[in-house]
Amino acid sequence: MMEKLSNELILKCKIAEENLKRINYEIEECAIKAGRNPKSIQLLAATKTVPCEVINHCISLGINLIGENRVQEFLSKYDNLNLSNCECHFIGNLQRNKVKKIIGKVSLIQSVNSIELAKEISKASSQQGIKTNVLIEVNIANEKSKSGISVNNLYELLYEVKSMDSISVIGLMLIPPICEESKILRSYFYKMMQLFIDIKSKKLDNINMEILSMGMSLDYREAILEGSNMVRIGSAIFGIR
Ligand SMILES: *Cc1c(COP(=O)(O)O)cnc(C)c1O
């Protein structure tokens, strides 16, 4: 397969391969430092803007989970991705009128942030006779510019989802505020973990807290130390976008 690729793509594949080795090692190291089983932490490769050839190379190396951000980009790549041993999640901001286009093609939508969006996903899934798993994206610091749901509105959303037939919440997702201080970052991740535990303890229908998706290229170590079990890493694998 490599023979057919341009030099530029071959270089990109090599860079990703090297980076993946290092990141897998660091995830393992962080897990051990936190007293956790390294196998309990899933690595999702965030593949926006990354060519299919490079993604497929990573899949051949063992990446079994990728995340795409934009509906259009995802659909244009879909047929060229080798997804037989790899799941694909949708991790970007999702408009209601695009829900239908991705239902059944992604195994998890990580970015549900409103009752209306959840309803639309449930409706579109039931039309296809399937149930769609989702995460709720939380805006932990109440940032105006962020798309997640505020903690104040989170429980209302969960209580609504309880009675929706074709959608199932299996965890929470966070994109934290941009912040360089490790201590502050960890406090956001810590709050997410507390929410995760609290929701789990409520044992609501249709709500199973299995995945706590937090940690990106610059902060995955802190996230793992605070209990993340899925890190979404893009630029640290593929280089700057
Ligand atoms: C792009 C993206 C990532 C990965 O970001 P990096 O900083 O490149 O690791 C993770 N999560 C979401 C939702 C993204 O859009």
Side-chain angles (χ1 to χ4, degrees):
M1 167 209 157
M2 291 287 270
E3 291 86 345
K4 288 187 230 147
L5 301 183
S6 68
N7 287 340
E8 192 194 342
L9 283 174
I10 291 172
L11 183 62
K12 282 185 175 169
C13 287
K14 283 195 177 138
I15 290 171
E17 187 166 343
E18 284 306 308
N19 286 335
L20 270 175
K21 277 186 211 151
R22 196 191 69 245
I23 287 164
N24 276 320
Y25 175 77
E26 288 193 18
I27 289 173
E28 198 175 316
E29 220 180 33
C30 276
I32 290 166
K33 190 170 161 195
R36 304 178 54 201
N37 180 353
K39 294 206 176 72
S40 69
I41 296 150
Q42 274 188 285
L43 169 61
L44 175 149
T47 49
K48 55 177 175 269
T49 77
V50 179
C52 292
E53 293 87 345
V54 180
I55 301 174
N56 286 336
H57 182 64
C58 291
I59 293 173
S60 76
L61 295 171
I63 282 290
N64 56 12
L65 180 57
I66 63 170
E68 282 284 340
N69 279 71
R70 295 178 198 90
V71 171
Q72 219 46 54
E73 182 182 342
F74 165 63
L75 293 175
S76 75
K77 286 171 164 178
Y78 187 72
D79 287 333
N80 296 316
L81 292 172
N82 297 334
L83 293 175
S84 47
N85 293 311
C86 182
E87 276 184 52
C88 186
H89 292 179
F90 192 80
I91 61 176
N93 200 16
L94 181 58
Q95 287 167 294
R96 266 180 286 161
N97 61 2
K98 301 215 169 125
V99 166
K100 274 201 188 83
K101 299 183 176 177
I102 65 165
I103 291 295
K105 289 196 164 79
V106 292
S107 58
L108 181 69
I109 298 172
Q110 295 206 4
S111 42
V112 171
N113 56 11
S114 72
I115 293 169
E116 293 71 30
L117 179 58
K119 270 188 190 152
E120 188 61 38
I121 292 169
S122 184
K123 194 175 117 197
S125 302
S126 103
Q127 282 166 357
Q128 288 194 26
I130 59 173
K131 197 160 187 162
T132 298
N133 286 334
V134 304
L135 306 184
I136 307 298
E137 181 181 347
V138 180
N139 182 352
I140 200 76
N142 275 317
E143 292 176 282
K144 284 204 184 69
S145 60
K146 279 279 161 64
S147 59
I149 192 157
S150 68
V151 176
N152 283 339
N153 297 326
L154 172 62
Y155 286 86
E156 188 195 354
L157 168 60
L158 292 172
Y159 279 96
E160 287 284 329
V161 168
K162 245 172 24 128
S163 57
M164 295 181 196
D165 291 331
S166 302
I167 185 171
S168 190
V169 174
I170 62 166
L172 304 176
M173 188 267 256
L174 171 72
I175 302 174
I178 294 169
C179 168
E180 293 185 348
E181 218 180 307
S182 174
K183 232 172 144 181
I184 298 174
L185 270 171
R186 284 186 66 163
S187 76
Y188 296 131
F189 296 137
Y190 176 81
K191 278 187 196 155
M192 287 293 291
M193 186 64 186
Q194 298 311 307
L195 280 176
F196 188 78
I197 292 168
D198 184 60
I199 296 165
K200 196 179 229 175
S201 74
K202 291 191 160 47
K203 297 190 171 25
L204 305 170
D205 289 343
N206 262 349
I207 319 277
N208 292 297
M209 288 293 117
E210 292 164 13
I211 297 179
L212 182 55
S213 171
M214 56 186 193
M216 314 200 296
S217 290
L218 296 177
D219 57 18
Y220 68 91
R221 297 170 190 81
E222 284 87 354
I224 291 170
L225 292 175
E226 296 297 342
S228 165
N229 59 21
M230 183 177 289
V231 291
R232 309 178 309 270
I233 301 185
S235 49
I237 299 173
F238 303 108
I240 293 164
R241 284 181 292 274

